[in-house]
Structure formats: structure tokens, C-alpha cells
Amino acid sequence: MAGARTTFWFLWAAGLSTVGSGCALLLDADWGEYKTAAATGSGGAAGSGGAAGSGGAGAAGSGGDGGAAVEGSGGTGGTGEGGSPPLPPEIIAAGLQDPYSIAVDDRSVFILSESDLLSCPLAGCPQPTVLAAVQAYDHTSFPYRIGVDARFVHWLGDDAYFRCSAAGCPEQVPQVYREYITSWPRQIEVTDAGVVRICDKLTVMECVDGTCADLCVDTDGMNSFVVDGKSVFWSVGYSGGVYHCNPDRPNEEVRLQGESGNVLAVQGEYVYAMGLEGMIFKCQKSGCGGRPDVVVSGEQGLTSMAVGGTGVYWTSSGTGTSADGAVKMCPLAGCGDGPRVIASGQARPTSIRIRNGFVYWANRGLEGSAGSGEIMRAGL
């Protein structure tokens, strides 16, 4: 890319140790019995509901549900009353076939599974509603491929961007909203106002009222992006690095760091990156001067990350061959003695989201175990 480029190199410290430990999570096989047990267990009284957080659910900049950007801090819906512990994990939907990406609004969770687009009320459902049939997708390791606004649910296929009413597609046939995204579309962000941003491996495009335009990104091998106001941050997988540009200065690209990230997020003055080697780190938006802050290290099989006003939340798949995955968090101020385990014993958890005092995630289920996927939530 032409123009000025400023580089801020990371000098990583050696000897980072594994932190955190698991705890048992017992799930009743019966939907109704589990829901009753979760509601009446010792995890604290139900919260007061609370208003939606000002950041929305993962929206870039102005809110919405894009997943990897700043997550709304939410209300108190999952935190309990009078200082009680957060509500324990509970199942929203079960019996799903590889739910690999989710989006959440104030009423429902929307689910991309192996062959269907589904929805389920946040209070739970024994059988999700099928909104549309979807094409099979080979690159399901990218966790944020669906978003929702006040009217529509938006998602990515192999080479196209699809949309339909959040109430469902006519005859379950989605509208192809933009075709021929030829370089493996990888992530979608949708604001509450309906602004849609999509990245493939080469660029980030922004779509408003059906008109799409490329932003300032010009790269190859992009893994993830996040938009903060007019600034675009993205990570590159092949050569490594997290970069920044501004559409008002399209010929100026700034490299913030040398280490890549599979998922990016912005909170306050920091860019957060979920790295490739079990590490989450943060860097000031203007660069780190070669001294990044390591949020957590030693996590096995990181799959997704969300950042909100209460902390950094992530999923790790564990070995991926047994239900040894986990959902954890650290406060923004740091992990102290180690992360808090929100849930352990999870089967390939991914696509973590924050909304209205709860953290949501999808359990893809174990390989070869049909219908073992779940949608979960717990209090923040």
C-alpha cells in the first residue's frame, strides 16, 4: 500500500505460564429438568433484567451485533441481586447440528448451523424455529459469520452475503444480498442501525441501504477486523500483524504490532487480539511501543473472544475431541491470580457474545456426535 507507514514492534516476553483451571458443569439430559434446576440452583437470584448496554452486542462503533468489536456492557439481567453471584450456565437450545456462529438481540438468539438458519427466544426453546435453509460452509472456524439488526438477520456463505427478515425468510429461501465475494468471506458485523460490514481475506466493505463500498483496507490473508468510529483495525494471518487505517486517509496504514490475531475487539483506548498460540493481548490504539499487555496466556484452542465493560470473555475448545472446552473471563484491570471459569466441560464452544448482562456462546458438539450442539448463556 502506498503512503506513510509507521511500525510498532512487539517484543514478547518468554516464560508465560498457563493460568486458570476448570470446574465441573453438570447438565441434566432433560430440557425441562435442566431449566428448572438452573433457575432454582444456588447460583444466586435472578437479576432485574436491566436495559441493553450502550454498545449493543458486538457492534463496531455504534452498536449492533458484529461479535468481535466492543460488546455492550449490558444491564443487570445476569448478575443477580444484592451482590449475588452471576447466574450459572443454562441451556437455551439443544439437539443442534454443529451450530458454529450466533448473533443475539434483545429478544432472540440467531444460529447458523450445518444446514439451517435458526432462531430461539432468549428464555429458551425446546425446538428452534427454522428461518431459512443455508448452504454448507467449509470455513466454520471463523466464529462471527452472522449479525442482526432491528429488521433483518444477515449472514455469510461461501461467496455471498445473505439477508432475510428476522421473523423468517419467505418459504425459507434467503435473499442473496451481494454475490461473488470471491475471497472467502470471513466475518460480518451489523450495527443496530443496520450498517453491515464484511471482510474477506483482501478487504473490508461497508453496506448501507443496499450500497456497498470498500473501506481503506488493502491486504492479503485477513483473519479478522473491527471498526471503531472511522478507524478500521484488522489482522493478517500469513505474515502476521495487526494494522490500522482511516477511510479519511486511505493511503496511510499503521502497523500496531507484529503478532497476528484470529479475533479483534476494541474497548476504550485498547485493541484486543485473540492470538494463535493460546494468548490474548491488548495494545493501545496508537501503538504499544514494543510493550504489549498480555491479558491471558496458555489457553488451549482459543476459538472466540468478546470484550465489554465488565471484562474480556473467551472460549477455548480444549482438545476438541472431548467435552473439555471452557468459557472464561478476566476483568479489564487484569486477571490477578487467573481467569474466572464461567463454564467448563463444554463441547467445542465458540462464537461468544455479550448482551444485556449475559454472555452467550455456541457449543458445536463433538465430532461424530450428531445433534449434540447447544446454545448456552450465563450471567456476567
Side-chain angles (χ1 to χ4, degrees), residues 171-240:
E171 299 182 356
Q172 297 185 359
V173 178
Q175 175 189 1
V176 181
Y177 205 62
R178 184 177 179 90
E179 292 187 280
Y180 310 122
I181 305 174
T182 57
S183 300
W184 295 349
R186 301 181 175 195
Q187 180 183 327
I188 188 168
E189 290 185 352
V190 183
T191 72
D192 286 339
V195 177
V196 177
R197 301 182 181 106
I198 299 167
C199 82
D200 58 13
K201 71 173 186 175
L202 301 177
T203 191
V204 177
M205 68 181 70
E206 182 175 88
C207 302
V208 180
D209 295 329
T211 300
C212 299
D214 290 346
L215 298 180
C216 52
V217 180
D218 181 10
T219 187
D220 192 11
M222 188 178 347
N223 280 342
S224 180
F225 78 98
V226 63
V227 178
D228 180 52
K230 289 188 175 183
S231 297
V232 185
F233 299 87
W234 74 95
S235 64
V236 176
Y238 299 141
S239 58

Side-chain angles (χ1 to χ4, degrees), residues 122-333:
L122 296 184
C125 61
Q127 184 65 46
T129 300
V130 178
L131 302 181
V134 299
Q135 62 180 217
Y137 184 68
D138 293 333
H139 305 283
T140 54
S141 61
F142 295 104
Y144 297 111
R145 301 186 51 81
I146 183 172
V148 63
D149 60 34
R151 297 187 298 160
F152 298 104
V153 57
H154 313 252
W155 71 97
L156 300 175
D158 270 328
D159 58 1
Y161 153 40
F162 298 89
R163 186 183 87 170
C164 74
S165 167
C169 303
E171 299 182 356
Q172 297 185 359
V173 178
Q175 175 189 1
V176 181
Y177 205 62
R178 184 177 179 90
E179 292 187 280
Y180 310 122
I181 305 174
T182 57
S183 300
W184 295 349
R186 301 181 175 195
Q187 180 183 327
I188 188 168
E189 290 185 352
V190 183
T191 72
D192 286 339
V195 177
V196 177
R197 301 182 181 106
I198 299 167
C199 82
D200 58 13
K201 71 173 186 175
L202 301 177
T203 191
V204 177
M205 68 181 70
E206 182 175 88
C207 302
V208 180
D209 295 329
T211 300
C212 299
D214 290 346
L215 298 180
C216 52
V217 180
D218 181 10
T219 187
D220 192 11
M222 188 178 347
N223 280 342
S224 180
F225 78 98
V226 63
V227 178
D228 180 52
K230 289 188 175 183
S231 297
V232 185
F233 299 87
W234 74 95
S235 64
V236 176
Y238 299 141
S239 58
V242 175
Y243 297 80
H244 157 266
C245 68
N246 188 311
D248 291 342
R249 302 187 298 275
N251 293 324
E252 179 182 309
E253 175 189 289
V254 178
R255 187 178 187 183
L256 295 181
Q257 62 192 49
E259 179 73 14
S260 186
N262 278 351
V263 176
L264 299 182
V266 169
Q267 173 69 28
E269 295 303 312
Y270 288 92
V271 180
Y272 291 77
M274 186 191 82
L276 303 175
E277 302 296 332
M279 182 184 301
I280 295 174
F281 48 90
K282 67 180 182 179
C283 175
Q284 289 185 343
K285 294 176 185 178
S286 58
C288 311
R291 300 182 63 86
D293 294 324
V294 177
V295 178
V296 69
S297 64
E299 293 295 303
Q300 186 175 33
L302 288 170
T303 53
S304 67
M305 176 187 70
V307 183
T310 53
V312 184
Y313 298 78
W314 67 91
T315 55
S316 56
S317 63
T319 62
T321 59
S322 62
D324 57 357
V327 180
K328 302 179 184 180
M329 70 85 64
C330 281
L332 295 180

